[in-house]
Amino acid sequence: MPHPRAHAVAPPSGSPSLLPSVRHADNELLAKLGYKSEFRREFSLAETIAFAFSIMGVVASVSSTMSFPLVSGGHVGMVFGWLIPCFFVMTIAASLAELTSAMPTSAGLYYFSAKLAPPRWAPLASWITGWANVTGQVALVCSIDFTCAQMIVTALNVGSDGAIDLGAGPTFGILLAILFTHGIVCSAATAVIARLNIFYVLVNIGTTITAIVVLLVCSGEQRVSTETAFTMFENNSGWSNNGWAFLLAFTAPMWTLTGYDSAAHISEETANAAYAAPIAILVGVGATATLGWLLFIAASFATFSVPHLLSTALPLPMGQLFLDVLGKHGMLAIWSLIIVVQYVTGAAQGVDASRVVFAFARDNALPGSRWWKRMHPYTATPVNAVWLVMALAGLCGILGFSETALSSLAGASVIGLYVSYVTPIFLRITSGRDKLEPGPFTLGRWYMPIGIVAVAWVSFIVVLLVFPPEVHPTADTMNYTVVIIMAVFVFASLSWLVSARKWFRGPVKTVEEDGSQGTPEMTGEYDEKRGTRVEERSVESR
């Protein structure tokens, strides 16, 4: 079999005449990875970068997670509680970029695990990685959209001078409306979704820069000194150990810097994916980390009293900060833009989650896979998978009737995603050291130290995220993240022991043995119990 990289091509020069050959090379590489091409490759390099960046929604994510650093360090928590984790997250992004460049498929993380694990354990590694990723993806859709609903509630409260104070029920109703509209947007053709991401990134960057400028310029006499903004530490967590309290501030960047694996999951819709997807991962994380840090520095300068922000009656302290700095009308103006950013972030995350569900169903790993792997004949997108994601996110939204449960769901989404990120990285530096066929982007000999740092960081952050936010938690303030994670783990483990181990063999081939593209009719029907088609064989067996 010729080396897959023999078909890799240089970055498109922008000439439309080159696109057919680029897309043909992409499809040939995908076939050698075991899959037939089912999507239209409409994402360009710029649009792929825009997608990976927009899915993290920096200004909206900072606005929704600001309470963590305020509680755990105040000014120091905002500035350095964001900066420090970003360096470690870049090691994870670099490792995933290398894997994505070598294996650009929508299956992404669980495919990487299957290829890098010892043959005996490849199906189990793929199964665990896939379920962790699916769980994190769906939970993140719910968390993003519920926060969008909270932002809308905040705007209504401020706009009515407190006359409109919606409770959990109406907020849940707004969530369902947002999920419904996202279902419509995410069901669109790939070309439409790709072009929308240019709008997403312009709104995202424009709003972030605007927020930074207005916080610095309009804070006036309220603005604190440089020494206070960078060095004043306030422990409002209740933990007596200031060092431990500061570490809890890491929750904000870890919640924000998720979803960048999206570039891998849309790689089957991307032209020159082996080149574009890894660049999108690195640029997306780097740009989000940088802009987020600048925004938190601006917020630190504009915050004259941390306890004042923490005692606000508004759902989100950032809303109170903008109200203090800009007044009612100014706050509503910038807040409206942040709501738009949060909305498009949810839309991008919905696309990402649906591609993960589609890919996992394509490999017969989900109940009812025959439904969720179907492509719509007109849009050539997995519409059924889209609506499954929205339905599951709506069910998760029921947890929003408890603020503690909703916060735990957000923590579970972060843990689920990062466990799925680190599993193939761990396998890369252990059993998969000699198995990777590098793509255009490679870490070379640096893959080992970078991978070790990435694995160590995720191991640390997972433990951190399951800790309660205060020393003596009650039933109402306990962190139930571990309960959600264990529930998924128990389900995946039992289903593996009872059934999946008998038929799941990891990713399955949907192309002919010579790598040629088969038609849907040629590839036959799935046997749900055995997890195979008549013509299909495990990718692992190649």
Side-chain angles (χ1 to χ4, degrees):
M1 178 183 293
H3 194 289
R5 294 310 133 202
H7 298 278
V9 296
S13 65
S15 172
S17 62
L18 291 180
L19 286 179
S21 62
V22 169
R23 288 168 177 160
H24 178 70
D26 283 326
N27 292 340
E28 280 195 328
L29 174 56
L30 182 63
K32 293 185 182 303
L33 295 175
Y35 296 118
K36 69 185 181 70
S37 177
E38 299 184 73
F39 290 94
R40 297 166 184 160
R41 294 186 180 272
E42 300 286 356
F43 275 86
S44 65
L45 172 61
E47 289 160 347
T48 307
I49 293 174
F51 185 75
F53 174 78
S54 298
I55 205 168
M56 288 178 272
V58 57
V59 65
S61 295
V62 166
S63 297
S64 61
T65 60
M66 187 181 182
S67 60
F68 293 110
L70 287 177
V71 170
S72 303
H75 294 276
V76 170
M78 283 189 278
V79 176
F80 296 103
W82 176 276
L83 178 64
I84 293 172
C86 289
F87 291 110
F88 293 99
V89 172
M90 282 303 299
T91 65
I92 302 169
S95 297
L96 291 184
E98 180 183 49
L99 296 178
T100 301
S101 182
M103 297 172 279
T105 166
S106 294
L109 304 166
Y110 75 86
Y111 183 96
F112 304 160
S113 293
K115 292 292 290 180
L116 298 173
R120 178 183 177 186
W121 300 106
L124 179 59
S126 181
W127 181 263
I128 292 175
T129 306
W131 274 104
N133 195 235
V134 168
T135 300
Q137 294 281 354
V138 173
L140 193 58
V141 171
C142 176
S143 297
I144 292 172
D145 284 2
F146 201 99
T147 302
C148 186
Q150 288 180 318
M151 289 179 172
I152 294 173
V153 170
T154 297
L156 292 173
N157 184 277
V158 173
S160 64
D161 295 319
I164 300 177
D165 187 14
L166 301 180
T171 304
F172 179 68
I174 296 173
L175 166 68
L176 295 181
I178 294 172
L179 288 171
F180 178 76
T181 58
H182 278 165
I184 296 174
V185 172
C186 296
S187 297
T190 298
V192 175
I193 295 173
R195 308 305 174 266
L196 281 175
N197 275 279
I198 298 299
F199 165 73
Y200 292 173
V201 77
L202 292 176
V203 172
N204 211 318
I205 294 177
T207 303
T208 303
I209 294 175
T210 300
I212 293 171
V213 171
V214 299
L215 286 175
L216 291 174
V217 173
C218 301
S219 51
E221 295 181 356
Q222 176 179 313
R223 188 167 57 249
V224 301
S225 66
T226 301
E227 181 181 1
T228 298
F230 282 89
T231 65
M232 185 174 180
F233 183 86
E234 297 180 54
N235 182 358
N236 299 290
S237 68
W239 290 93
S240 59
N241 188 304
N242 288 338
W244 176 254
F246 170 69
L247 292 178
L248 295 175
F250 292 175
T251 303
M254 295 310 298
W255 195 90
T256 301
L257 296 171
T258 54
Y260 45 88
D261 58 315
S262 58
H265 300 310
I266 63 165
S267 60
E268 293 182 30
E269 302 168 74
T270 303
N272 207 8
Y275 173 83
I279 289 179
I281 292 174
L282 294 172
V283 173
V285 174
T288 300
T290 302
L291 287 174
W293 191 49
L294 294 176
L295 180 55
F296 261 125
I297 290 175
S300 184
F301 272 106
T303 301
F304 70 90
S305 171
V306 170
H308 168 69
L309 294 184
L310 290 175
S311 63
T312 180
L314 298 179
L316 300 171
M318 183 65 94
Q320 184 64 51
L321 180 61
F322 281 120
L323 185 60
D324 293 340
V325 172
L326 300 174
K328 174 182 174 180
H329 297 293
M331 179 270 181
L332 288 175
I334 189 71
W335 201 249
S336 297
L337 292 174
I338 292 175
I339 290 173
V340 173
V341 171
Q342 186 73 359
Y343 180 85
V344 300
T345 299
Q349 177 57 35
V351 172
D352 185 19
S354 69
R355 277 23 176 198
V356 173
V357 168
F358 160 78
F360 214 31
R362 179 173 59 182
D363 291 316
N364 307 307
L366 295 176
S369 287
R370 69 175 64 185
W371 298 101
W372 317 129
K373 70 189 177 189
R374 287 186 177 177
M375 300 287 283
H376 193 277
Y378 178 73
T379 64
T381 53
V383 173
N384 289 357
V386 168
W387 288 103
L388 175 63
V389 168
M390 299 306 157
L392 293 175
L395 289 175
C396 291
I398 297 175
L399 296 176
F401 285 91
S402 165
E403 183 177 344
T404 301
L406 184 66
S407 177
S408 299
L409 179 68
S413 70
V414 175
I415 291 176
L417 288 174
Y418 271 95
V419 167
S420 68
Y421 295 172
V422 81
T423 302
I425 297 174
F426 173 75
L427 294 171
R428 166 74 170 117
I429 63 176
T430 53
S431 61
R433 290 191 298 272
D434 301 319
K435 293 184 177 182
L436 189 72
E437 298 175 344
F441 174 81
T442 176
L443 297 176
R445 61 189 177 89
W446 291 101
Y447 84 91
M448 180 62 75
I450 290 175
I452 291 173
V453 172
V455 172
W457 174 253
V458 174
S459 300
F460 162 72
I461 208 67
V462 165
V463 174
L464 183 74
L465 290 173
V466 299
F467 266 79
E470 57 187 51
V471 182
H472 302 293
T474 65
D476 293 331
T477 60
M478 180 62 185
N479 184 354
Y480 293 100
T481 295
V482 67
V483 177
I484 299 174
I485 291 296
M486 287 305 298
V488 176
F489 177 77
V490 169
F491 169 78
S493 298
L494 289 178
S495 61
W496 173 261
L497 292 173
V498 173
S499 175
R501 66 185 177 88
K502 302 174 183 177
W503 52 264
F504 184 72
R505 295 294 178 264
V508 293
K509 297 189 69 172
T510 60
V511 292
E512 299 305 305
E513 191 65 35
D514 62 357
S516 61
Q517 301 286 317
T519 64
E521 291 75 22
M522 290 169 61
T523 56
E525 292 298 322
Y526 275 108
D527 181 335
E528 294 265 347
K529 292 183 178 180
R530 296 183 58 192
T532 58
R533 288 191 182 105
V534 175
E535 294 86 356
E536 287 177 343
R537 287 161 294 278
S538 171
V539 172
E540 174 199 350
S541 65
R542 289 183 297 133

